[in-house]
Amino acid sequence: MATFTQRFLVRYRCRKTLKMRPFIQSAQRIGEPSVFQHGFQVRCSHGSSSHDFLTTLRNRGICESVFPNTRPDEIMQLMSCPQALYCGFDPTADSLHIGNLLSLIVLLHGQRAGHTPIAVLGGATALIGDPSGKSKERRAMSAEEVENNILGLMENVERIFRNHSNFNHFFFPPHRIFNNRDWYKGQDIISFLSTTGRHFRLGEMLSKSSVQSRLNSKEGISCTEFMYQVFQASDWLHLYQNHNCSIQVGGNDQTGNIASGFDLIHRITNKYVFGLLVPLILSPSGEKLGKSTGNAVWLDPKKTSPFDFYQYFLNLPDSTLEKFLQLFTFIPSEEISKIVESHLSSPEKRAGQKILAENVTKLVHGDTGLESAQRCTDVLFGKSVSALSAMELAELQQLMKNAPTTELPAASDLCLKDLCLKIKCFSNEADAERIICAGGVYLNLQRVTDPQLQVGKAGHILPNHITLVRVGKKNFHLVRWWV
């Protein structure tokens, strides 16, 4: 039977959307034993004992609370030796977003401290739907849609772990990725209810805040969504029994589901497990960032380009700078204090936001994505012709989504006025003459005022065979010259 990762690789090879090498080189494949089972010793990247990462998470504001919060000695003792910790991601979209990124960063902090991170993709639970934080039932998804979304999420997770590993020079415990459909597909509803289901008490299930809020709503809650907490709890039990996973990471809106898993594991094993609750990421205006609110900052470059991703962090207000540096980077806290202090001495330079944007973009999109974001920034805001010359047509088209592209032969002997008419900047010669002479037209970020200027002979075709034409402040046109 092919593993989930093997099936993922075959699908992507067929799609020709990813290079295979990074995945072949991935440190851990699904179903393989953890390095701890082979007796290897993992050196923490910061040289401290593995349980210190809890202190790190608290000090940085990444972990808002621990569930249950009544057993601090037990969790510190538990984390004093290598553990597995997991976070689940339901594939309700084909990409994760920066709210999910914070949970991945918790897994990365755990990995840096010598623990084994596990990402669980909810191929089964996505078909059920989590009622947490929802005022009505989620849209039903087809199995094919879920499968396609899983491929996107797995690419996101693999890329971030790979980037993190590439940018650090320490040995980290390998990460693991599972699809929870793999451990449900062999079960039937009768056997599931007669084994796992008998450990749940209806009163406790009804008391969950996610259930209560829906019971009190006009729409109510379906039996399907009501059972979601049972399946998430069962996921954790499976991971605990098969992969020594004692820690679950989730947003603070997942407290009810984490409590269900805690209760199930304790009833069956008489052991204690723990949840690490991370804050929800809000926009500067206080709204939750995510798919349901329509303001998600996606991790897939096709949905949010590296430039837009970079700009989101670059444009955060000063009031959130220190918090986001603590949450989304691995810069030591003492260094963050110095960065913020230096930034506040000249806030107009946005030096702190630049460091934040560079670090997060590099983690999510790698060196190539960061370089692209910086080139795009230099072109739009720095008026850098050298940066424009280094850009590919596809990169410019992504940057200027509404800019039409025209392909012309490089041998064309066009003056500026004729070029503008040919690419439909103006509808008539009179407008073209008037606006060019008034200084309203730019070639490759430089103002030109001569309608008869020979574009090719004047050197306005860049080495990348592109000319960027701008009319006014916002109307861009791309010209691709072919030989």
Side-chain angles (χ1 to χ4, degrees), residues 5-17 20 144 147-148 151:
T5 303
Q6 289 167 341
R7 296 197 301 273
F8 170 82
L9 295 178
V10 170
R11 290 285 297 275
Y12 263 106
R13 183 183 291 117
C14 294
R15 292 184 178 197
K16 297 181 180 179
T17 56
M20 302 306 300
E144 182 180 4
E147 179 66 14
N148 287 331
L151 294 174

Side-chain angles (χ1 to χ4, degrees), residues 151-420:
L151 294 174
L153 267 57
M154 186 171 185
E155 188 279 332
N156 294 171
V157 175
E158 285 279 10
R159 169 162 37 92
I160 289 168
F161 273 97
R162 185 173 67 251
N163 287 340
H164 175 259
S165 178
N166 288 342
F167 301 143
N168 293 275
H169 304 290
F170 297 94
F171 175 75
F172 295 128
H175 66 278
R176 313 180 79 178
I177 301 177
F178 297 106
N179 180 351
N180 65 9
R181 184 178 177 275
D182 289 341
W183 54 79
Y184 289 119
K185 62 184 179 183
Q187 299 188 52
D188 61 80
I189 185 65
I190 300 301
S191 62
F192 182 77
L193 289 175
S194 65
T195 54
T196 304
R198 68 174 58 252
H199 294 287
F200 288 85
R201 297 295 174 263
L202 194 59
E204 293 173 357
M205 294 175 68
L206 287 167
S207 69
K208 299 294 189 293
S209 60
S210 60
V211 174
Q212 282 292 314
S213 62
R214 289 290 296 278
L215 286 173
N216 295 326
S217 69
K218 182 179 180 180
E219 182 169 317
I221 187 170
S222 69
C223 176
T224 303
E225 283 191 313
F226 179 66
M227 290 292 289
Y228 183 91
Q229 58 183 295
V230 174
F231 284 91
Q232 184 164 326
S234 181
D235 285 347
W236 197 357
L237 175 64
H238 173 88
L239 294 170
Y240 179 80
Q241 292 177 328
N242 293 277
H243 303 286
N244 189 34
C245 183
S246 302
I247 305 294
Q248 182 179 171
V249 177
N252 57 23
D253 59 346
Q254 290 294 307
T255 305
N257 291 326
I258 288 175
S260 295
F262 170 88
D263 291 338
L264 176 63
I265 292 170
H266 186 64
R267 283 196 180 105
I268 292 176
T269 69
N270 202 34
K271 301 291 186 181
Y272 288 104
V273 291
F274 297 90
L276 303 182
L277 301 171
V278 303
L280 299 178
I281 301 302
L282 305 178
S283 69
S285 61
E287 294 178 309
K288 178 183 175 181
L289 287 175
K291 179 173 70 73
S292 59
T293 52
N295 59 358
V297 180
W298 301 101
L299 306 189
D300 187 328
K302 297 187 294 294
K303 295 173 75 74
T304 297
S305 70
F307 167 74
D308 290 330
F309 187 89
Y310 179 89
Q311 287 295 316
Y312 174 80
F313 289 95
L314 189 65
N315 289 301
L316 286 172
D318 292 342
S319 59
T320 64
L321 175 59
E322 184 170 11
K323 175 183 176 181
F324 274 62
L325 282 167
Q326 294 281 9
L327 294 179
F328 288 103
T329 79
F330 298 95
I331 300 171
S333 294
E334 58 272 17
E335 189 175 335
I336 288 176
S337 297
K338 294 177 182 177
I339 289 171
V340 173
E341 182 180 358
S342 175
H343 166 82
L344 293 177
S345 65
S346 301
E348 70 283 356
K349 295 179 180 179
R350 307 195 73 75
Q353 283 92 341
K354 186 176 181 181
I355 292 171
L356 171 64
E358 288 174 352
N359 274 266
V360 187
T361 305
K362 188 173 182 178
L363 175 66
V364 173
H365 295 295
D367 281 326
T368 302
L370 175 59
E371 290 165 4
S372 173
Q374 291 172 327
R375 279 196 302 271
C376 293
T377 300
D378 289 342
V379 167
L380 280 189
F381 304 109
K383 300 181 180 180
S384 172
V385 178
S386 62
L388 179 61
S389 300
M391 296 179 74
E392 298 291 336
L393 178 61
E395 192 176 7
L396 279 166
Q397 288 173 326
Q398 187 179 50
L399 173 63
M400 301 166 184
K401 298 179 179 66
N402 298 319
T405 300
T406 306
E407 296 206 1
L408 296 173
S412 300
D413 192 15
L414 291 173
C415 67
L416 177 58
K417 180 186 70 175
D418 292 341
L419 174 64
C420 288

